[in-house]
Short mmCIF file of all heavy atoms in Angstrom, two decimals:
data_model
loop_
_atom_site.label_atom_id
_atom_site.label_comp_id
_atom_site.label_asym_id
_atom_site.label_seq_id
_atom_site.Cartn_x
_atom_site.Cartn_y
_atom_site.Cartn_z
N SER A 17 -1.06 16.01 24.61
CA SER A 17 -0.55 15.34 23.42
C SER A 17 -0.22 16.40 22.37
O SER A 17 -0.98 17.33 22.14
CB SER A 17 -1.56 14.35 22.86
OG SER A 17 -2.70 15.03 22.41
N GLN A 19 0.48 17.11 18.53
CA GLN A 19 0.27 16.51 17.22
C GLN A 19 1.26 17.13 16.25
O GLN A 19 1.24 18.34 16.01
CB GLN A 19 -1.16 16.76 16.75
CG GLN A 19 -1.50 15.95 15.54
CD GLN A 19 -3.00 15.82 15.35
OE1 GLN A 19 -3.75 16.51 16.00
NE2 GLN A 19 -3.41 14.94 14.48
N ASN A 20 2.13 16.30 15.74
CA ASN A 20 3.12 16.77 14.77
C ASN A 20 2.47 16.90 13.41
O ASN A 20 1.68 16.05 13.00
CB ASN A 20 4.29 15.79 14.68
CG ASN A 20 5.13 15.78 15.93
OD1 ASN A 20 5.07 16.71 16.72
ND2 ASN A 20 5.90 14.73 16.10
N PRO A 26 9.51 17.72 -1.27
CA PRO A 26 8.91 18.29 -2.48
C PRO A 26 8.72 17.26 -3.60
O PRO A 26 7.73 17.31 -4.32
CB PRO A 26 9.89 19.38 -2.89
CG PRO A 26 10.58 19.75 -1.63
CD PRO A 26 10.67 18.49 -0.82
N GLY A 34 1.16 15.20 -9.58
CA GLY A 34 1.29 14.83 -10.99
C GLY A 34 2.04 15.85 -11.82
O GLY A 34 1.74 16.05 -13.00
N SER A 52 -1.62 19.38 4.91
CA SER A 52 -2.65 20.40 4.73
C SER A 52 -2.32 21.30 3.54
O SER A 52 -3.21 21.70 2.78
CB SER A 52 -2.85 21.22 6.00
OG SER A 52 -1.65 21.86 6.36
N GLU A 53 -1.03 21.60 3.34
CA GLU A 53 -0.63 22.39 2.17
C GLU A 53 -0.90 21.62 0.88
O GLU A 53 -1.38 22.20 -0.10
CB GLU A 53 0.86 22.76 2.25
CG GLU A 53 1.19 23.78 3.31
CD GLU A 53 2.68 23.95 3.53
OE1 GLU A 53 3.45 22.99 3.33
OE2 GLU A 53 3.07 25.07 3.91
N ALA A 59 -7.01 21.16 -3.82
CA ALA A 59 -8.35 21.72 -3.83
C ALA A 59 -8.44 23.02 -4.63
O ALA A 59 -9.42 23.25 -5.34
CB ALA A 59 -8.82 21.96 -2.39
N PRO A 61 -5.74 24.80 -6.88
CA PRO A 61 -4.38 24.92 -7.42
C PRO A 61 -4.05 26.36 -7.83
O PRO A 61 -4.85 27.02 -8.48
CB PRO A 61 -4.39 23.99 -8.63
CG PRO A 61 -5.79 23.61 -8.88
CD PRO A 61 -6.61 23.99 -7.70
N ARG A 70 -1.46 21.77 -17.36
CA ARG A 70 -1.99 21.96 -18.70
C ARG A 70 -0.90 21.83 -19.77
O ARG A 70 -1.07 21.15 -20.77
CB ARG A 70 -2.65 23.35 -18.80
CG ARG A 70 -3.35 23.61 -20.12
CD ARG A 70 -4.01 24.98 -20.22
NE ARG A 70 -4.61 25.47 -18.99
CZ ARG A 70 -4.06 26.42 -18.21
NH1 ARG A 70 -2.91 26.98 -18.54
NH2 ARG A 70 -4.66 26.83 -17.10
N ASN A 71 0.26 22.49 -19.54
CA ASN A 71 1.28 22.61 -20.58
C ASN A 71 2.52 21.77 -20.36
O ASN A 71 3.30 21.57 -21.28
CB ASN A 71 1.71 24.07 -20.72
CG ASN A 71 0.53 24.97 -21.00
OD1 ASN A 71 -0.34 24.63 -21.77
ND2 ASN A 71 0.51 26.13 -20.36
N SER A 86 3.15 2.26 -21.41
CA SER A 86 3.72 2.10 -20.08
C SER A 86 4.97 2.97 -19.95
O SER A 86 5.53 3.43 -20.96
CB SER A 86 4.09 0.63 -19.83
OG SER A 86 5.14 0.25 -20.69
N GLY A 89 7.61 1.30 -21.72
CA GLY A 89 7.44 1.52 -23.16
C GLY A 89 8.05 2.84 -23.61
O GLY A 89 8.62 2.94 -24.69
N GLU A 102 2.66 20.00 -25.84
CA GLU A 102 2.88 20.21 -27.28
C GLU A 102 3.74 19.07 -27.86
O GLU A 102 3.43 18.55 -28.94
CB GLU A 102 3.57 21.56 -27.49
CG GLU A 102 3.72 21.96 -28.93
CD GLU A 102 4.35 23.34 -29.08
OE1 GLU A 102 3.97 24.25 -28.33
OE2 GLU A 102 5.23 23.48 -29.95
N GLU A 106 2.71 16.29 -30.69
CA GLU A 106 3.53 16.07 -31.89
C GLU A 106 3.84 14.58 -32.06
O GLU A 106 3.77 14.05 -33.17
CB GLU A 106 4.83 16.86 -31.81
CG GLU A 106 4.68 18.34 -32.04
CD GLU A 106 5.99 19.11 -31.83
OE1 GLU A 106 7.06 18.48 -31.70
OE2 GLU A 106 5.92 20.35 -31.77
N GLN A 116 3.33 3.03 -31.88
CA GLN A 116 2.27 2.11 -32.32
C GLN A 116 2.44 0.74 -31.66
O GLN A 116 1.47 0.14 -31.18
CB GLN A 116 2.29 1.97 -33.84
CG GLN A 116 1.92 3.25 -34.56
CD GLN A 116 2.11 3.11 -36.06
OE1 GLN A 116 2.00 2.02 -36.62
NE2 GLN A 116 2.41 4.21 -36.72
N ARG A 126 -3.90 -4.70 -21.05
CA ARG A 126 -5.21 -4.35 -20.48
C ARG A 126 -6.22 -5.47 -20.69
O ARG A 126 -6.99 -5.80 -19.79
CB ARG A 126 -5.73 -3.06 -21.09
CG ARG A 126 -5.00 -1.83 -20.58
CD ARG A 126 -5.68 -0.55 -21.06
NE ARG A 126 -4.85 0.59 -20.75
CZ ARG A 126 -4.23 1.34 -21.65
NH1 ARG A 126 -4.36 1.09 -22.93
NH2 ARG A 126 -3.48 2.35 -21.28
N MET A 135 -11.85 -14.00 -14.62
CA MET A 135 -11.63 -15.38 -14.22
C MET A 135 -11.67 -15.50 -12.69
O MET A 135 -12.30 -16.41 -12.15
CB MET A 135 -10.28 -15.88 -14.75
CG MET A 135 -9.96 -17.33 -14.43
SD MET A 135 -8.32 -17.81 -15.01
CE MET A 135 -7.29 -16.93 -13.86
N HIS A 136 -11.03 -14.57 -11.98
CA HIS A 136 -11.04 -14.60 -10.51
C HIS A 136 -12.44 -14.37 -9.97
O HIS A 136 -12.85 -15.02 -9.00
CB HIS A 136 -10.08 -13.55 -9.94
CG HIS A 136 -8.63 -13.92 -10.08
ND1 HIS A 136 -8.10 -15.09 -9.58
CD2 HIS A 136 -7.61 -13.27 -10.68
CE1 HIS A 136 -6.81 -15.15 -9.86
NE2 HIS A 136 -6.48 -14.05 -10.53
N LYS A 149 -24.32 -24.08 -0.76
CA LYS A 149 -24.95 -25.41 -0.85
C LYS A 149 -24.61 -26.27 0.35
O LYS A 149 -25.35 -27.19 0.68
CB LYS A 149 -24.52 -26.11 -2.13
CG LYS A 149 -25.13 -25.49 -3.38
CD LYS A 149 -24.72 -26.24 -4.62
CE LYS A 149 -25.33 -25.58 -5.86
NZ LYS A 149 -24.91 -26.27 -7.07
#
Side-chain angles (χ1 to χ4, degrees):
S17 65
Q19 191 161 11
N20 291 341
S52 60
E53 289 171 330
R70 186 179 324 104
N71 304 319
S86 66
E102 187 177 317
E106 285 175 11
Q116 294 173 29
R126 286 188 190 111
M135 182 183 72
H136 286 303
K149 289 182 181 178

